[in-house]
């Protein structure tokens, strides 16, 4: 305590009274400690969750909660999304779920896979569900590796060891229900009340219904739903209710109705069309290349430099497609190369564009007009935009 | 050291209970070996940016507390070292959702250019979420070597918190200094 | 799936034993559901830089294997996705010290502009050390959706390794393709 | 296996023979898998270890092993240095040691502090020594929070809870020997054969000798070794053998002889001097502001904008100081603002400068002439340069 006493003496000595100006007779008030912000119980419809893949430290990925109306304080908070994580947001449950992987010594040691449950008001973890087997699929984040089913009471987690399977998780009971083998198939598209479908390597779709224990009740294969060689579909669709709209590397649009126990490919695939200025041609390009609004329009990120291998290069325009009319209804130029697009469910919807340089731009979804930029202030590598339905 | 630990613990508990600033400052005056906040990126001030390329400032809305709280130049940041919570989902005096505010930290003295008063600023860190990554700011007016913890901003003060992982730093007014900063 | 796992394991063990490339390729030809390497930063190619602002190229030193191996444009990187090991302490065909090379990965086919041959390139990831952070490169010639793992570079193939933490990617010649890439 | 078989069939189909040009009758050879590089058993004297604090993810900090002679492949490998880590390199033991902190769920959960032992040839971990109590000091990395003693058979780890103490670790037996309370004192300067000294808050130095069990054998306080108010010393000295040369915020140079059991302040402190062009004046500035070469010269990083609070701002010149003559012998302009300096023990020594923009520059230590830049290719936030003695 001898040294401590001396230190204290020194700390007290560092001071000499000053007079405050008459203009402000009262000092600024003291502020309470500790203070931690909370979020509104019901997030505004202008908020989105942006997945930051965080290339510089993939094991330290995160979700950014973003207020797209705020140009000066868009970042409302961060949620951990460690090591090739996936995430889900449930407004009805008031929770965010992250499917993550941890090692006991950061980069090495014992591996633990778990779903972490986060409260949407506090962004604090409320619990976790450990995923057995160390088999959770690690990929650049695709939304359809982790999905709800059974009215958001359950979640489905993709596994890849490289053996493919799906783990069925009861979010209410916080326990594992089952694991379903899925040889040769990938991605999870919730189907019907309790089940899912996946694309398979032969171009078919494999569909499973689950019983109330999470076991396979029935399964079915729908042959030739896509031609992977000639029209490979991006894995991430735009969802309109229970209809998923997929676009191919070459701009072909294909809908699937996932409302029933067996998925139904919608007849009449069509193309987003062509345009001048392509070198050699316009094609969809980016990581999340298609989004839907509440009115039933699709927004497709397009690259003018379409060629073999350009499908992840991002795009400089968004083409608005009406799938009912099977026609393009507008072209919106972007301010820079975008890699992901999303549309907010606001009364006046906005098109949110995550750019390759990390900047988030907000456009009017009806006109394409630029509204505001959030700058590169919420994520280093924004690759997915999740509006909160 | 047991005595010191007890003091620290007591201080933490007082803050947690929301004891009045006045009694806390009295206790501080009685002599806390304060301690510091957090990292330094040399020349971080230059690297700092606000909420966007051309964004409107985040202000207190009153003339007596002037300046943009997303800017490293804001008066309360005279000895801060880290990511500004104002850019991270918190504010100048509150932590972002999902984090925990460190119960104790180091105390700086900054002069408010509007009222010319020297305020005692507590640079509480927000903890339990990884590096915010926005608005890195390092200013060192009054910063002294680690041997004087109460005057050094290189310690990670995510220490009384459940996790020592650092997210961002606040700059909370905890009182008016009896004396001017040197 | 047991059969597939056994195949994979067998493949891994063969590689670990240093079995000749020829027998491996024969096995591949017999039909491996290859699988992919790793992440994508869209437009990462533009962001990639070499070993320094103005550095001399890192070359094979022979005319038959032309190009700078710290550049994303190097011919072997036609379908790579990640940090180039050549910039991370490894080389085009070896992992940096401290990492473990993933035993299996996905196989691309790239054309060597010097001899006009199509080579089978194995994009083995290096694992157990965190993101290298240098020379991020993403090219997708021949990349197809994840439903075809042997043609998709978005999987993290630090999978047969002790740790799944990804450091960088190599581009190893494992043979000459019988056929040209599409 | 049905889907698998189909996938395999597809993978085989992707092909059509081509003719190779006559100029190259033989294809490039196949290359072995797996291949992992190793480092030379004796690292060249041109290699340094650069600590990357990694602000974007402090929990994922790392050490870069850097060949300062290579402008195109300077990065030889990375070593994990997690969460405000410290490190040591022992050429005689052929090992690197990192003192780190881990949480079981990356950012939360159970905390483990440990020293990890890394092999210098393979950069693979060889083992770890768990540090009890979760009390390891976390700071922006200072070299003197983790030091050798007892001929590199032991290590000393600084603790801060904020109670201050030092943990004594037996590196041979890989076990904890003792913990020594150090109230009011900070930093660890190895002293004599088996012991250390620390600066204390009252300006004194506290010195401890250890017995062969790692317990305190004797201790001593040397009063008033620095005036913290008037001439605060940067905590990181330049070491010349067992003499530590410290510089103050205002350029005062003070040597300490740590060769005996009790440190001896060298008489005759002096100043690095002044120069034209200061606004308002030249002062030392940066994170690692002083380095020594084998000839006995000191290299001090200097800022022309010296003022209160400028001591971490970095510097635009390096001033060469001869402590024997107590005189400045040269001024070297840098190409940009430097934050850390080191001098290699090469036959022709080089001054290594880590810049605020992450670029590493190499200068001739004798003339100051710029030799080469390594670019910003080894570390995001290089804050310490450790030549390998």
């Amino acid at each position: 305590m001898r040294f401590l006493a001396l230190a204290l003496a020194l700390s007290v000595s560092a001071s000499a009274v000053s007079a405050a100006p008459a203009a402000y007779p009262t000092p600024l008030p003291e502020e309470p400690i500790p203070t931690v912000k909370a979020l509104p119980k019901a997030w505004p419809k202008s908020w989105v969750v942006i997945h930051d893949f965080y290339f510089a430290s993939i094991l330290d990925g995160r979700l950014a909660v973003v207020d797209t109306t705020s140009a000066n304080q868009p970042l409302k908070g961060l949620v951990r999304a460690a090591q090739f994580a996936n995430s889900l947001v449930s407004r009805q449950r008031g929770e965010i779920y992250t499917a993550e992987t941890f090692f006991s010594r950061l980069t090495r040691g014992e591996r633990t896979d778990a779903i972490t449950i986060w409260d949407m008001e506090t962004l604090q973890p409320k619990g976790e569900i450990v995923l057995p087997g160390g088999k959770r699929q690690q990929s650049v984040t695709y939304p359809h590796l982790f999905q709800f089913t059974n009215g958001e009471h359950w979640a489905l987690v993709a596994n890849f060891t490289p053996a493919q399977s799906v783990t069925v998780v009861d979010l209410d009971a916080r326990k594992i229900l089952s694991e379903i083998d899925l040889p040769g198939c990938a991605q999870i598209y919730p189907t019907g009340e309790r089940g899912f479908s996946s694309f398979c390597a032969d171009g078919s779709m494999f569909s499973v219904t689950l019983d109330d224990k999470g076991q396979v009740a029935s399964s079915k294969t729908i042959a030739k739903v896509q031609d992977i060689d000639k029209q490979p579909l991006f894995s991430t669709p735009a969802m309109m209710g229970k209809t998923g709209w997929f676009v191919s590397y070459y701009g072909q649009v294909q809908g699937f109705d996932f409302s029933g126990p067996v998925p139904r490919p919608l007849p009449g695939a069509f193309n987003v069309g062509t345009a001048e200025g392509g070198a050699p041609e316009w094609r969809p390009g980016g990581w999340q290349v298609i989004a839907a609004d509440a009115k039933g329009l699709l927004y497709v990120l397009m690259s003018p430099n379409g060629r073999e291998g350009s499908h992840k290069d991002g795009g400089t325009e968004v083409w608005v497609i009406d799938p009912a009319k099977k026609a393009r209804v507008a072209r919106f130029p972007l301010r820079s190369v975008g890699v992901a697009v999303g549309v907010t469910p606001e009364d006046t919807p906005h098109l949110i564009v995550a750019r390759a340089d990390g900047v988030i731009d907000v456009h009017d979804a009806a006109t394409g007009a630029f509204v505001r930029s959030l700058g590169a202030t919420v994520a280093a590598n924004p690759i997915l935009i999740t509006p909160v339905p | 050291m047991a005595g010191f630990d007890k003091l620290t613990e007591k201080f933490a508990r007082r803050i947690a209970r929301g004891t009045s600033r006045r009694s806390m400052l009295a206790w501080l005056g009685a002599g806390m070996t304060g301690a510091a906040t957090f990292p330094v990126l040399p020349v971080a001030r230059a690297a700092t940016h606000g909420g966007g390329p051309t964004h409107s400032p985040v202000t207190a809305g009153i003339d007596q507390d002037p300046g943009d709280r997303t800017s490293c130049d804001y008066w309360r940041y005279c000895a801060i070292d880290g990511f500004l919570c104002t850019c991270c989902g918190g504010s100048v005096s509150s932590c972002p959702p999902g984090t925990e505010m460190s119960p104790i930290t180091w105390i700086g003295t900054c002069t408010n250019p509007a009222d010319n008063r020297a305020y005692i600023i507590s640079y509480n860190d927000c903890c339990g979420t990884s590096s915010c990554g926005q608005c890195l700011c390092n200013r060192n007016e009054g910063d002294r070597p680690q041997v004087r913890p109460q005057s050094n901003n290189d310690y990670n003060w995510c220490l009384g918190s459940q996790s020592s992982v650092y997210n961002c730093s606040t700059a909370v007014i905890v009182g008016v200094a009896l004396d001017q900063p040197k």
Side-chain angles (χ1 to χ4, degrees), chain A, chain B:
Chain A
M1 291 305 295
R2 181 178 42 124
F3 294 109
L4 175 62
L6 287 161
L8 300 177
L10 287 166
S11 90
V12 169
S13 72
S15 304
V17 186
S18 79
Y24 301 106
T26 313
L28 293 171
E30 298 162 11
E31 295 163 328
I33 293 173
T35 305
V36 179
K37 278 203 174 178
L39 301 180
K41 191 174 177 66
W43 291 8
K45 290 183 175 177
S46 57
W47 287 22
V48 297
V49 173
I50 294 184
H51 194 112
D52 189 351
F53 188 65
Y54 227 61
F55 255 95
S57 181
I58 295 170
L59 58 79
D60 192 21
R62 58 275 302 275
L63 308 176
V65 179
V66 177
D67 176 358
T68 62
T69 67
S70 175
N72 60 6
Q73 287 188 295
L75 181 58
K76 310 313 289 181
L78 295 174
V79 174
R80 186 188 66 210
Q83 177 68 7
F84 296 94
N86 289 95
S87 69
L88 285 169
V89 181
S90 172
R91 194 187 275 273
Q92 80 182 47
R93 299 177 69 92
E95 290 173 343
I96 297 170
Y97 305 89
T98 50
E100 304 174 278
T101 296
F102 309 101
F103 288 90
S104 57
R105 294 297 181 266
L106 189 70
T107 55
R108 292 165 181 263
E110 191 189 341
R111 170 175 172 167
T112 302
D113 293 352
I115 295 173
T116 309
I117 303 160
W118 307 86
D119 183 86
M120 283 178 74
E121 274 186 83
T122 65
L123 300 187
Q124 291 286 347
K126 295 166 69 174
E128 71 175 14
I129 305 165
V130 171
L131 297 167
K135 57 176 67 173
R136 189 181 71 80
Q137 175 173 335
Q138 295 178 18
S139 298
V140 184
T141 305
Y142 283 98
H144 289 270
L145 301 180
F146 183 38
Q147 285 288 313
F148 288 121
T149 190
N150 194 19
E152 302 192 358
H153 293 287
W154 295 357
L156 305 167
V157 180
N159 300 312
F160 188 77
T161 68
Q164 291 151 307
S165 65
V166 170
T167 296
V168 183
V169 182
D170 183 337
L171 296 175
D172 294 339
R174 296 188 184 178
K175 68 175 187 184
I176 306 302
L177 293 179
S178 68
E179 183 183 345
I180 298 167
D181 282 349
L182 200 68
C185 305
Q187 305 277 332
I188 299 166
Y189 306 103
T191 305
E193 289 307 309
R194 209 162 54 199
F196 66 93
S197 303
S198 296
F199 283 126
C200 302
D202 62 350
S204 69
M205 185 163 252
F206 184 68
S207 183
V208 167
T209 63
L210 300 170
D211 67 18
D212 60 5
K213 303 280 186 297
Q215 304 295 326
V216 174
S218 66
S219 68
K220 188 168 168 56
T221 295
I222 302 108
K224 294 180 187 165
V225 302
Q226 72 169 322
D227 183 333
I228 300 173
D229 288 309
K230 297 200 180 121
Q231 289 285 356
L233 300 176
F234 283 89
S235 301
T236 304
M239 295 303 297
M240 283 186 196
K242 295 222 163 185
T243 298
W245 290 101
F246 294 79
V247 67
S248 82
Y249 289 11
Y250 311 111
Q252 197 80 352
V253 178
Q254 171 66 59
F256 288 85
D257 174 4
F258 292 112
S259 63
V262 174
R264 186 172 63 89
L266 299 180
F270 63 99
N271 202 282
V272 298
T274 58
E276 294 300 303
E281 65 177 349
W282 287 90
R283 290 188 189 175
W287 188 250
Q288 185 180 23
V289 300
I290 187 167
D293 68 14
K295 291 189 299 186
L297 296 177
L298 298 172
Y299 298 76
V300 182
L301 194 52
M302 299 294 298
S303 167
N305 304 123
R307 51 168 178 77
E308 172 54 36
S310 70
H311 54 284
K312 294 176 194 163
D313 284 357
T316 57
E317 290 193 4
V318 166
W319 290 7
V320 185
I321 309 294
D322 183 339
K325 296 179 183 159
K326 301 183 193 299
R328 183 176 71 213
V329 295
R331 290 172 61 183
F332 296 162
L334 302 179
R335 300 169 80 224
S336 181
V337 174
V339 296
V341 291
V343 181
T344 64
E346 293 167 285
D347 294 340
T348 301
H350 288 93
L351 174 70
I352 313 301
V353 179
R355 292 167 28 177
D357 57 6
V359 168
I360 310 297
D361 282 343
V362 179
H363 293 253
D364 185 295
T367 65
F370 169 71
V371 176
R372 73 182 63 85
S373 180
L374 310 185
T377 61
V378 299
N381 306 114
I383 59 167
L384 290 177
I385 299 169
T386 307
V388 184
Chain B
M1 293 308 295
F4 185 30
D5 274 344
K6 279 229 181 68
L7 278 179
T8 305
E9 193 185 316
K10 191 173 163 189
F11 180 48
R13 275 190 278 108
R14 275 192 192 183
I15 300 228
R17 284 205 313 271
T19 308
S20 83
R21 286 323 88 211
R22 193 167 304 279
S23 65
M24 182 186 101
L25 288 175
W27 185 83
L28 278 172
M32 175 203 177
T33 294
T37 103
F38 159 76
V40 54
L41 179 64
V43 212
R45 191 173 185 171
T48 300
H49 67 102
T54 52
H55 70 281
S56 51
V58 175
T59 63
I62 55 169
D63 291 346
Q64 198 182 344
D65 190 351
D68 180 0
R69 294 164 173 203
T70 65
S71 164
C72 198
D73 293 323
Y74 178 57
W75 68 272
R76 294 198 203 181
Y77 300 149
C78 76
I80 206 168
D81 191 359
F83 301 108
L84 303 179
C85 290
T86 306
C87 302
C88 300
S91 72
V92 72
S93 60
S94 62
C95 284
T99 67
E100 180 184 6
M101 187 177 264
S102 61
I104 46 175
T105 183
W106 86 293
I107 305 288
T109 305
C110 303
T111 299
N112 177 345
D115 68 9
N116 204 34
R117 286 186 181 87
Y119 287 85
I120 299 175
I121 306 296
S122 179
Y123 296 107
N124 296 66
D125 290 339
C126 304
C127 316
T129 299
S130 186
S131 302
C132 154
Q134 303 295 334
C135 297
L136 187 59
C137 172
N138 177 217
R139 287 171 58 188
N140 297 290
E141 290 89 326
D143 173 81
R144 287 297 175 271
Q146 288 210 302
V147 65
R148 196 177 277 177
Q150 77 277 15
S151 307
N152 177 277
N153 67 10
D154 306 316
Y155 288 98
N156 174 22
W157 254 103
C158 284
L159 195 53
S161 49
Q162 290 190 335
S163 163
S164 73
V165 169
Y166 169 84
N167 179 244
C168 65
S169 294
T170 61
V172 185
I173 294 178
V174 293
V176 178
L178 297 174
D179 313 311
Q180 284 289 65
K182 285 182 291 188

